[in-house]
Amino acid sequence: MSKKRMLKCASGLLAAAVVSLSSGVQAEGNYVMGTATTGGTYYPVGVAISTLIKVKLEPSTNISVSAISSAGSGENLKLMDEDQIQFGILQGLYGAYAWNGTGPVPKAYKNLRSVSMLWQNVEHFVVTTKVAKTGTIEDMTNLYGESFSIGARNSGTEGSGRFILGKVGIDLEKVNLAYLGYGPSADALQNGNIDGMNIPAGVPAAAVTRAYANMGDKVTTLNFTPEQIAQVNSDFELWTAYTIPSGTYPQQAEDIHTIAQPNILAVRDDVPENDVYEITKTIYENLPFLNNIHPATKAMALEKAIAGLPLPLHPGAARFYQEQGLKIPDRLIAE
């Protein structure tokens, strides 16, 4: 299939993705996937996966997945629990919350399973250079009494930002928090209305690119030391060190040493094993197809498929990975 035809198919699915949540699954093998708002990465990646399944899998198996926009990880958990959607893209942190029934998640979701790690959410704590005294996340204390965008209210961005900053000892009660999405955060930073923003996203993140392009060395993305990474991981082993090479963003002169957590594809445990097997197999046998639709999927690779997963694997996904020679750790084997 030509790239032009693939993109045309993806555009058609974007239009078709606005489905009624109340309608649920229309027929056996027809599933719905929750993503996030249309301005982020979750939604287009979800559409890319649904496009792949429609083109490669539906004609021979009648298995289909429709991607819909949602409020993100928190709402996806609720909708999967209600069986309004069967698949959902989640931050790794929210997957861990869901399995344990901790943090902002009101109960343990033991009926959810992992399908795959998709790509990493790279943490960008971008601040004005004037407050970046050490260059590490410790400099967030220099924002006490100043304004900082933590992310849209009740979003996964807000939730993970609060979690990370709390673990490294930042008292957000002393910060004037703004609740802005990614684009508005970049605009507010450039306009001088805030002094920093929280942007967890695939690299390069558009909002960070915009800030660097317009502000250059007037903004700094804070680093994490090994000790600070250990603090962040004191509850869940989710975050790993991540280097953003110099030149990734306009006028970025030095490497950024930050952290990243996995974004995962989750599924209800009552979706048939063979359907999840076929979906997982189709994803990994057609990564170039996904890469042509959305660049975030270029981070996907079979050897990274189970890295950092906070939920046990669905038996269908586990079967595919075992066939490919991956060793499944005991913690990811569903009872």
Side-chain angles (χ1 to χ4, degrees):
M1 175 180 286
S2 70
K3 183 176 180 180
K4 181 177 180 182
R5 186 179 170 195
M6 283 191 292
L7 293 175
K8 183 177 180 182
C9 184
S11 298
L13 280 180
L14 279 166
V18 183
V19 298
S20 168
L21 283 175
S22 62
S23 64
V25 180
Q26 299 303 307
E28 185 177 354
N30 300 148
Y31 304 113
V32 182
M33 178 195 303
T35 61
T37 60
T38 57
T41 308
Y42 280 27
Y43 181 70
V45 168
V47 170
I49 292 171
S50 67
T51 301
L52 171 64
I53 292 167
K54 180 176 182 61
V55 172
K56 298 287 188 178
L57 197 55
E58 186 178 17
S60 59
T61 66
N62 290 321
I63 297 171
S64 67
V65 178
S66 298
I68 62 165
S69 63
S70 73
S73 298
E75 185 179 22
N76 290 344
L77 288 173
K78 178 177 181 293
L79 295 175
M80 279 194 284
D81 189 48
E82 297 169 350
D83 201 18
Q84 295 195 60
I85 63 175
Q86 293 70 47
F87 291 83
I89 301 179
L90 307 174
Q91 280 188 4
L93 176 60
Y94 273 73
Y97 280 152
W99 187 249
N100 293 284
T102 56
V105 178
K107 68 175 186 177
Y109 290 84
K110 297 300 185 182
N111 63 331
L112 298 185
R113 299 290 182 265
S114 294
V115 177
S116 177
M117 197 274 273
L118 297 176
W119 76 100
Q120 288 179 296
N121 244 10
V122 180
E123 310 294 346
H124 300 74
F125 289 91
V126 184
V127 300
T128 54
T129 300
K130 65 183 180 182
V131 305
K133 305 300 184 183
T134 70
T136 76
I137 197 66
E138 178 186 343
D139 290 329
M140 284 295 299
T141 58
N142 299 325
L143 285 174
Y144 289 171
E146 306 297 336
S147 296
F148 177 81
S149 176
I150 193 71
R153 197 178 293 275
N154 298 322
S155 65
T157 298
E158 178 194 356
S160 64
R162 286 184 179 276
F163 181 90
I164 292 167
L165 294 174
K167 287 298 177 184
V168 295
I170 306 302
D171 184 357
L172 289 177
E173 293 296 320
K174 298 180 179 179
V175 180
N176 298 323
L177 294 180
Y179 297 90
L180 304 172
Y182 289 11
S185 291
D187 292 340
L189 188 62
Q190 294 163 55
N191 294 336
N193 295 326
I194 60 174
D195 293 291
M197 61 182 185
N198 171 35
I199 307 289
V203 174
V208 180
T209 297
R210 190 192 312 175
Y212 272 84
N214 289 297
M215 301 181 72
D217 61 6
K218 294 180 181 178
V219 291
T220 298
T221 301
L222 298 176
N223 296 308
F224 284 77
T225 66
E227 294 75 20
Q228 290 164 342
I229 296 173
Q231 288 177 303
V232 173
N233 278 327
S234 59
D235 284 355
F236 310 118
E237 286 287 337
L238 285 174
W239 281 270
T240 55
Y242 190 102
T243 298
I244 303 174
S246 61
T248 299
Y249 294 111
Q251 308 179 68
Q252 177 203 340
E254 298 180 353
D255 291 352
I256 298 166
H257 300 286
T258 183
I259 56 176
Q261 65 164 309
N263 291 303
I264 69 167
L265 179 60
V267 64
R268 286 175 54 92
D269 65 356
D270 57 0
V271 174
E273 177 180 332
N274 195 62
D275 288 7
V276 176
Y277 172 84
E278 292 292 346
I279 288 169
T280 310
K281 183 172 185 284
T282 298
I283 287 172
Y284 280 99
E285 288 185 347
N286 294 279
L287 287 179
F289 183 109
L290 289 178
N291 299 165
N292 279 328
I293 298 177
H294 198 281
T297 62
K298 292 179 180 178
M300 296 178 65
L302 184 62
E303 59 269 20
K304 297 189 290 185
I306 63 174
L309 294 179
L311 303 168
L313 281 165
H314 190 285
R319 172 155 62 99
F320 172 73
Y321 296 137
Q322 287 168 333
E323 288 179 356
Q324 301 306 305
L326 293 187
K327 181 174 175 55
I328 311 296
D330 290 344
R331 69 179 184 83
L332 293 182
I333 305 271
E335 293 181 2

